[in-house]
Amino acid sequence: MRLYDTDLPSRFWLGTAGYPSPQALLDCICGARPGLITCSLRRQGQGGEGFWHLLKEAQVPLLPNTAGCRTVDEAVNLAWMARELFDTPWLKLEITGDDYNLQPNPFALVDACRELSREGFQIFPYCTTDLVLCRKLLDTGAQVLMPWGAPIGSGQGLCDLNGLRTLRQRLPAVPMVVDAGIGRPSHACQAMELGFDAVLANTAVAQAADPLAMAKAMAQAVEAGRQGYLAGPINPRDLAQASTPVVGTPFWH
């Protein structure tokens, strides 16, 4: 897939927080080969330069994020620091509007996206499934959207299927990545079967009993979902339809 004039080798994206150890994270990256990895600048502050070197060692495109920001000013300031530190115009824009479900603040997202786009940042906004919000983010400069599947870290899967379907149907040409709420490979596969372009997972992998095995399973599920979507699945029916021809059957009514 191609985003902001950059080709990514995989539609599975991986977050880098909460792993049992740095080596476990590196193993997951090497084993699943995600299209990109995300990293919080605040995480950099905790892990120091060693963590940054570990990410560079993985040789996977990096998407810095503004996780933990609650205001436009916080996000903008962190974005400038991220661009200087990671030497990339890419930014996953996150601004929290509620501390309980970590729901994005739609109003602050639009304001920050507008300001950062003017400054040359290439924005990946983390948002809800609100169609009007998503259109506003596109109007203010974003070329990619990252609607949530469910609250971050909840593992609930895709809680608003109608909202996600609506986004895909109404914005067919916009690259969209389902982010947050993914708990199992089946959730990732379902998102891809809906026609989304990629899936980002973090907690489901980092906190799995076997993170490496889960990372590989997620990557395979994303690929299976994509292939299923491209294959054109049948629509569900209310009644059964025999898969074996019944013409000529002696007792068929």
Side-chain angles (χ1 to χ4, degrees):
M1 65 184 301
R2 187 171 180 82
L3 298 176
Y4 289 116
D5 296 325
T6 300
D7 292 319
L8 299 177
S10 171
R11 296 174 184 272
F12 172 55
W13 298 3
L14 187 63
T16 59
Y19 289 79
S21 68
Q23 186 59 50
L25 167 60
L26 188 59
D27 290 344
C28 288
I29 296 172
C30 294
R33 301 309 302 170
L36 61 73
I37 54 176
T38 63
C39 177
S40 168
L41 193 63
R42 294 176 182 235
R43 176 66 177 80
Q44 280 288 302
Q46 296 170 3
E49 192 170 348
F51 187 70
W52 172 221
H53 287 311
L54 181 144
L55 297 183
K56 286 197 294 187
E57 183 182 343
Q59 297 184 332
V60 174
L62 181 67
L63 176 62
N65 69 55
T66 60
C69 290
R70 287 174 169 75
T71 68
V72 174
D73 287 344
E74 284 182 6
V76 170
N77 289 333
L78 201 62
W80 281 106
M81 295 170 64
R83 183 153 79 174
E84 181 175 343
L85 178 63
F86 297 114
D87 192 28
T88 174
W90 284 11
L91 183 76
K92 183 188 170 194
L93 181 60
E94 296 186 44
I95 303 179
T96 301
D98 182 85
D99 288 337
Y100 286 90
N101 63 10
L102 301 180
Q103 181 172 338
N105 181 329
F107 311 103
L109 270 182
V110 171
D111 290 342
C113 187
R114 180 184 296 111
E115 182 171 346
L116 291 169
S117 294
R118 279 199 299 258
E119 298 295 340
F121 284 89
Q122 296 175 332
I123 308 298
F124 297 65
Y126 168 61
C127 54
T128 62
T129 54
D130 187 296
L131 175 62
V132 176
L133 166 63
C134 289
R135 282 177 165 164
K136 285 288 185 183
L137 291 168
L138 295 171
D139 290 343
T140 54
Q143 297 180 23
V144 181
L145 296 173
M146 301 185 71
W148 69 353
I152 290 174
S154 67
Q156 297 176 18
L158 309 185
C159 291
D160 183 13
L161 281 175
N162 286 334
L164 289 169
R165 286 195 184 100
T166 298
L167 283 183
R168 186 67 291 172
Q169 291 168 358
R170 300 292 295 277
L171 304 172
V174 177
M176 286 192 280
V177 182
V178 173
D179 179 14
I182 301 296
R184 300 170 183 272
S186 58
H187 300 157
C189 186
Q190 184 182 26
M192 297 303 293
E193 288 177 346
L194 290 175
F196 285 85
D197 297 279
V199 168
L200 170 61
N202 189 156
T203 305
V205 174
Q207 298 185 11
D210 186 340
L212 174 58
M214 184 59 77
K216 291 180 177 179
M218 287 285 185
Q220 293 168 357
V222 166
E223 179 60 23
R226 176 66 178 175
Q227 293 303 319
Y229 169 73
L230 293 176
I234 64 171
N235 293 319
R237 297 167 51 93
D238 291 332
L239 301 175
Q241 181 182 36
S243 56
T244 302
V246 295
V247 176
T249 303
F251 301 107
W252 180 251
H253 56 83

